[in-house]
Amino acid sequence: MLMIFKKFFVAWVAVLACLFVGGCAQPLLEDIQQASDYTYRIGPGDSVNIFVWGNPELSTSAAVRPDGKITVPLVEELLASGKTPFELARDIEKVLSTYVKSPQVVVMVGGFKGVRDQQIRIIGRIGGGGGGIGRYQGKSIPYERGMTLLDVIIQIGLDQYADGNRASVIRNINGELKPYAVRINDLIDDADLTANVLMMPGDILIIPDAYF
């Protein structure tokens, strides 16, 4: 966790230097598009529906607690966060096999917050809050397969003081966090769909103030 924080801090400082000092040309995100092997992983705040075939008394729903665990009939303090629904179902089967012969479990997820490492995190001039220069806000939204920059902007909104063409995305590339430029103003104001880049799980979008 400390190593991840250090990498993010270095990338954050690099972005701030480019945004506020100037003279730093970031590569465009549209030039380094990646294929996603994204698989959803359960996170705190999700709800899980557990179906135990032939045992309706054991079928139930549970919320994933902030510590990432769930408690359901005959299954106590089981870690759910970070697992796929398939993996969680197999873990529940292992516990239930002590009490039930050959249990068959299916897990379905609701809520869809996911683990933090897969969320899209946004900081800066978002949400149409106004209030003058310097009022930044932060927000996290669940990633969805095929999500684009436009999808993100539709969800978060854009403040009137935002400079969308100086926005940056910090992305994990082969274990290294790197900043890339995106062109939100061109996308929104000029309908330039070449600026509508694909987002990836774990992307961090930074939207700075406009210069006046």
Side-chain angles (χ1 to χ4, degrees):
M1 181 63 70
L2 180 60
M3 182 61 66
I4 294 175
F5 174 79
K6 287 181 178 179
K7 289 181 178 180
F8 172 71
F9 180 77
V10 171
W12 172 260
V13 170
V15 171
L16 290 181
C18 292
L19 294 179
F20 299 109
V21 176
C24 179
Q26 296 176 18
L28 282 171
L29 185 59
E30 60 200 64
D31 295 332
I32 59 100
Q33 291 302 289
Q34 298 172 280
S36 175
D37 58 354
Y38 170 70
T39 299
Y40 184 84
R41 295 192 175 274
I42 298 167
D46 284 348
S47 60
V48 291
N49 299 311
I50 301 167
F51 301 93
V52 185
W53 183 259
N55 293 271
E57 71 280 2
L58 298 178
S59 299
T60 186
S61 298
V64 182
R65 304 194 310 248
D67 63 359
K69 297 180 180 180
I70 59 172
T71 298
V72 296
L74 301 182
V75 181
E76 296 185 357
E77 302 297 306
L78 181 64
L79 182 66
S81 182
K83 299 176 181 177
T84 66
F86 177 86
E87 291 169 343
L88 180 59
R90 302 294 79 78
D91 289 347
I92 294 174
E93 287 176 348
K94 290 178 182 178
V95 177
L96 290 181
S97 64
T98 303
Y99 312 97
V100 179
K101 183 178 180 180
S102 301
Q104 297 182 24
V105 177
V106 174
V107 172
M108 300 179 66
V109 182
F112 297 108
K113 291 188 176 180
V115 291
R116 183 170 295 275
D117 287 348
Q118 290 186 335
Q119 294 175 354
I120 304 293
R121 285 168 283 178
I122 309 100
I123 185 169
R125 280 292 181 173
I126 64 176
I133 298 298
R135 184 176 176 179
Y136 273 28
Q137 301 183 63
K139 187 173 184 179
S140 296
I141 60 176
Y143 173 81
E144 300 176 14
R145 185 182 294 274
M147 176 177 277
T148 66
L149 180 62
L150 180 60
D151 295 324
V152 173
I153 299 303
I154 288 172
Q155 288 196 44
I156 65 173
L158 203 62
D159 188 271
Q160 61 179 318
Y161 295 105
D163 189 341
N165 275 2
R166 289 197 303 123
S168 298
V169 166
I170 298 177
R171 176 169 293 178
N172 189 324
I173 303 292
N174 298 323
E176 184 178 355
L177 294 174
K178 296 183 178 181
Y180 294 92
V182 290
R183 301 180 291 120
I184 298 176
N185 288 355
D186 290 351
L187 173 62
I188 303 300
D189 298 337
D190 301 331
D192 182 354
L193 294 182
T194 64
N196 190 27
V197 295
L198 285 172
M199 302 296 286
M200 296 287 287
D203 277 352
I204 301 166
L205 174 61
I206 302 173
I207 306 174
D209 287 321
Y211 288 135
F212 290 94

